[in-house]
Amino acid sequence: MSRPLPSVRHAYRDFIPMQTRWADNDEYGHMNNATYMSLFDTAISTWQMHNGLDIRGPKALRFLVVESGCRYFSETGFPDALHAGIRLGHLGNSSCRFEIGLFCNDQPTACAEGFFTQVLVGDRSNPTPIPVRVRETLSRLLPAS
């Protein structure tokens, strides 16, 4: 199997700026693997909040991560500025797959790409349909047809 090439910026629908921190670097002088997953999670949560989706408080939507992954292409670390490109790879009845590309400084291709598949659940942690208003918001991240 051949390794996929990293995506370019225009493959993503929206961007969240993120700054690396000194603590993000590991013993080898580049960003720790676990930090990538944290950045993906922060980018998704930030996008959701910026787009009016309640993810905290009594009316919060409970999206649970059921699958995640990351593919690395090039090193990054403090003091690089990152831009998290976000798109949806899938929008189902109760689930969606966020795809995230991290772009280092002004680089045209992603240094890492990841995904989080989330399922909307109710009070008893059972899958529940994504409400129309939320679906419309999430649809903005689907690739242009």
Side-chain angles (χ1 to χ4, degrees):
M1 177 186 336
S2 64
R3 179 173 166 80
L5 296 174
S7 293
V8 294
R9 289 177 185 259
H10 73 269
Y12 290 90
R13 305 290 290 159
D14 206 349
F15 286 86
I16 301 293
M18 308 185 91
Q19 180 60 51
T20 55
R21 305 164 306 159
W22 175 257
D24 294 336
N25 287 9
D26 64 15
E27 184 68 21
Y28 303 110
H30 60 262
M31 197 159 64
N32 190 294
N33 294 342
T35 302
Y36 287 87
M37 300 307 281
S38 178
L39 287 169
F40 295 156
D41 192 29
T42 299
I44 292 166
S45 296
T46 301
W47 184 90
Q48 288 170 326
M49 290 186 299
H50 284 177
N51 286 276
L53 301 181
D54 293 325
I55 62 170
R56 297 192 58 160
K59 295 182 180 182
L61 297 164
R62 279 190 70 209
F63 278 104
L64 301 182
V65 174
V66 297
E67 185 181 17
S68 63
C70 182
R71 182 174 287 127
Y72 307 96
F73 296 102
S74 60
E75 291 185 6
T76 188
F78 182 80
D80 292 327
L82 300 176
H83 308 272
I86 302 175
R87 65 183 176 212
L88 273 192
H90 171 77
L91 180 57
N93 184 50
S94 61
S95 68
C96 61
R97 176 183 160 117
F98 285 95
E99 297 176 346
I100 310 97
L102 292 181
F103 294 86
C104 181
N105 301 311
D106 295 324
Q107 292 297 311
T109 59
C111 63
E113 291 182 295
F115 72 92
F116 275 25
T117 300
Q118 297 183 337
V119 175
L120 183 62
V121 298
D123 294 338
R124 297 182 184 194
S125 294
N126 53 322
T128 187
I130 297 172
V132 172
R133 178 188 68 80
V134 176
R135 179 175 295 286
E136 289 171 353
T137 300
L138 292 170
S139 292
R140 293 186 224 148
L141 292 177
L142 289 168
S145 331

